């Protein structure tokens, strides 16, 4: 790890080949599955005069917010994304490409194109429906379907900032994380103590950037052993419990309609604690998961398939959910509920089946992509 103030050198760094970390692919696949399953199973759609509104059972069930400390996996996804981007850059650099900005642009465009295409298609569908049938609430319905794309917008922003973030990492190492956490805390102070609401949006870069930046330290964290993993997990858990217990922050790590603020939009210091906790848990589970991936063909195949279709699954899962909701309402005459009851909870284990049946054909027709190539032998990491 480069220390603060240490001069960089123009000489080529000594490099050593490393293998692809299958655990990173597993975490990425697992994170996306959790997001999709959460939307399919726990979203409650209520149609008001101005269109559909989405809520979830967190606000109706006492103490259920604790579940979001594990199931809000966006910090974990950004964390492993930081490692993936660093490794991809090192591999590209080994092949002779020295342009960080070109690397960032190419990776960003690979996400922007399909997301933009999806947004345009749904905008056109909404426009046609309003023009032909003058249905109220279609604009809000389209907005709700496309709302998961906020994650891709933030992810693309982090990719665009990767050249700056990586140079700061090489130059200053862990001090970048300290500064990001410290500034995020000061932003929350200005927001909650001084009432300066607009400053909260700086945490979209500071907090999510910290999650991404932490991923640059993945190999050092793995090499540090289980004590460091336990340290991260307990530090994050105690910090999260203290912040929530202070009464300044809501307990849920997802937005809950009716709450004064959300820990996600924009993110608060709670998300910094959450990524530390989740990173520690991931490091502790890594040996067990790697053993499963190496010894179980079912685990390995599932991991490969989900990673192969991860982007189209994320892009189209809300489309499948919307189509299934429309089919249930207009064809099956299933009336939506406003708050979860016993019957709603009993049907949760099966709630993903309908959206899944609709989403799979969409993925197969529109979301096919080539299999990820095996990592080239030239993929490298700095030695030492």
């Amino acid at each position: 790890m480069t220390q603060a103030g240490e001069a960089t050198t123009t000489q080529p760094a000594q490099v050593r080949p490393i293998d692809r970390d299958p655990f990173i692919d597993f975490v990425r696949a697992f994170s996306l599955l959790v997001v999709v399953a959460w939307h399919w199973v726990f979203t409650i759609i209520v149609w008001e005069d101005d269109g559909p509104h989405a809520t979830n059972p967190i606000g109706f069930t006492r103490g259920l917010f604790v579940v979001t400390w594990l199931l809000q996996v966006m910090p974990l996804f950004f964390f492993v994304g930081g490692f993936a981007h660093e490794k991809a850059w090192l591999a590209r650099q080994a092949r002779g490409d020295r342009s960080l900005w070109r690397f960032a642009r190419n990776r960003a465009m690979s996400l922007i194109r399909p997301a933009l295409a999806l947004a345009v298609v749904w905008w056109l569908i909404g426009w046609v429906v309003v023009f032909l049938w003058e249905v109220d609430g279609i604009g809000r319905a389209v907005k709700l379907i496309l709302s998961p794309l906020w994650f891709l917008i933030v992810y693309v922003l982090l990719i665009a900032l990767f050249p700056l973030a990586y140079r700061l990492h090489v130059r200053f190492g862990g001090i970048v994380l300290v500064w990001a956490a410290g500034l995020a805390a000061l932003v929350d102070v200005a927001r909650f103590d001084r009432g300066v609401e607009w400053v909260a949006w700086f945490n979209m870069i500071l907090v999510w950037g910290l999650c991404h930046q932490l991923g640059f330290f993945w190999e050092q964290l793995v090499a540090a052993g289980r004590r460091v993993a336990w340290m991260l997990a307990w530090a994050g858990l105690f910090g999260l419990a203290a912040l929530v217990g202070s009464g300044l922050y809501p307990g849920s790590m997802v937005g809950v309609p009716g709450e004064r603020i959300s820990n996600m939009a924009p993110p608060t210091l709670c998300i910094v604690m959450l990524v530390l906790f989740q990173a520690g848990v991931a490091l502790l589970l890594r040996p067990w998961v790697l053993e499963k991936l190496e010894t179980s063909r079912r685990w390995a195949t599932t991991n490969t398939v989900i990673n192969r279709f991860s982007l189209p699954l994320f892009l189209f899962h809300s489309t499948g959910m919307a189509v299934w909701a429309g089919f249930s309402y207009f064809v099956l005459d299933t009336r939506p509920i406003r708050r979860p009851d016993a019957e709603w909870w009993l049907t949760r284990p099966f709630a993903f089946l309908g959206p899944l049946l609709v989403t799979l054909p969409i993925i197969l027709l529109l979301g096919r992509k080539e299999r990820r190539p095996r990592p080239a032998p030239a993929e490298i990491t700095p030695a030492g």
Side-chain angles (χ1 to χ4, degrees):
M1 187 185 303
T2 304
Q3 300 299 318
E6 200 173 13
T8 57
T9 177
T10 57
Q11 297 298 321
Q14 182 185 358
V15 296
R16 58 179 174 82
I18 62 169
D19 295 325
R20 185 187 186 97
D21 190 336
F23 180 73
I24 294 296
D25 290 337
F26 171 83
V27 172
R28 186 160 40 198
F30 173 79
S31 299
L32 287 176
L33 281 183
V34 169
V35 172
V36 171
W38 177 274
H39 289 164
W40 284 350
V41 174
F42 291 115
T43 299
I44 301 173
I45 302 295
V46 179
W47 197 284
E48 305 286 0
D49 293 338
D50 60 342
H53 293 252
T55 185
N56 57 65
I58 302 296
F60 301 101
T61 309
R62 184 178 178 86
L64 192 61
F65 68 84
V66 175
V67 176
T68 66
W69 295 12
L70 288 174
L71 297 185
Q72 173 50 278
V73 291
M74 287 296 98
L76 184 64
F77 189 92
F78 289 132
F79 168 58
V80 299
F83 169 76
H85 289 141
E86 179 197 29
K87 189 168 185 182
W89 162 243
L90 293 173
R92 181 72 64 87
Q93 195 178 31
R95 294 193 291 269
D97 188 346
R98 303 294 177 180
S99 174
L100 265 169
W101 294 105
R102 181 167 56 244
F103 166 79
R105 181 196 63 199
N106 292 341
R107 290 182 77 85
M109 290 305 298
S110 67
L111 293 176
I112 291 174
R113 292 190 189 101
L116 186 60
L118 178 66
V120 169
V121 167
W122 267 112
W123 180 83
L124 289 174
I125 291 174
W127 184 85
V128 170
V129 170
V130 171
F131 180 78
L132 295 179
W133 293 287
E134 299 182 359
V135 180
D136 294 332
I138 291 299
R140 187 171 184 86
V142 171
K143 180 180 178 181
L144 194 61
I145 293 169
L146 297 178
S147 61
L149 294 183
W150 77 264
F151 150 72
L152 285 183
I153 294 173
V154 175
Y155 202 59
V156 167
L157 176 62
L158 294 178
I159 295 173
L161 292 175
F162 175 79
L164 174 61
Y166 189 68
R167 284 171 176 153
L168 288 174
H169 168 70
V170 172
R171 176 74 174 175
F172 299 108
I175 292 180
V176 180
L177 299 176
V178 175
W179 270 75
L183 290 173
L186 292 177
V187 166
D188 279 4
V189 170
R191 179 184 180 185
F192 301 133
D193 187 58
R194 303 299 179 183
V196 186
E197 291 293 333
W198 60 267
V199 78
W201 292 102
F202 282 106
N203 273 354
M204 291 295 287
I205 295 177
L206 292 171
V207 173
W208 295 128
L210 182 147
C211 296
H212 192 253
Q213 196 91 7
L214 184 62
F216 298 161
F217 296 91
W218 172 253
E219 289 182 325
Q220 292 97 314
L221 293 173
V222 170
R226 294 179 66 83
R227 284 190 178 182
V228 170
W230 280 112
M231 180 189 72
L232 286 175
W234 283 116
L237 184 59
F238 279 127
L240 190 55
L243 290 174
V244 171
S246 72
L248 293 175
Y249 300 87
S252 174
M253 297 300 114
V254 302
V256 178
E259 286 193 336
R260 181 175 57 89
I261 64 168
S262 166
N263 281 314
M264 287 290 290
T268 67
L269 195 61
C270 284
I271 302 301
V272 175
M273 297 298 107
L274 184 62
V275 75
L276 295 179
F277 169 61
Q278 292 182 343
V281 172
L283 287 163
L284 291 170
L285 291 177
R286 182 176 179 270
W288 178 76
V289 172
L290 285 177
E291 181 183 1
K292 288 291 185 182
L293 292 174
E294 292 170 358
T295 59
S296 171
R297 179 175 298 180
R298 182 178 301 175
W299 275 63
T301 301
T302 301
N303 190 35
T304 300
V305 171
I306 295 174
N307 272 283
R308 179 184 178 187
F309 293 102
S310 58
L311 180 58
L313 174 63
F314 181 81
L315 286 175
F316 298 124
H317 82 277
S318 58
T319 296
M321 180 180 174
V323 173
W324 175 253
F327 177 79
S328 299
Y329 186 84
F330 294 107
V331 179
L332 301 181
D333 198 31
T334 301
R335 299 302 170 184
I337 65 169
R338 287 187 172 270
R339 59 185 301 131
D341 53 18
E343 180 183 354
W344 186 85
W345 280 109
L346 289 173
T347 59
R348 290 311 88 198
F350 311 100
F352 71 94
L353 294 176
L356 179 64
L357 290 175
V358 177
T359 305
L360 282 179
I362 298 175
I363 291 177
L364 293 175
L365 288 173
L366 303 177
R368 283 190 177 275
K369 68 176 184 177
E370 296 182 1
R371 229 179 249 277
R372 292 178 181 270
R374 289 186 176 275
E379 288 192 355
I380 58 170
T381 187

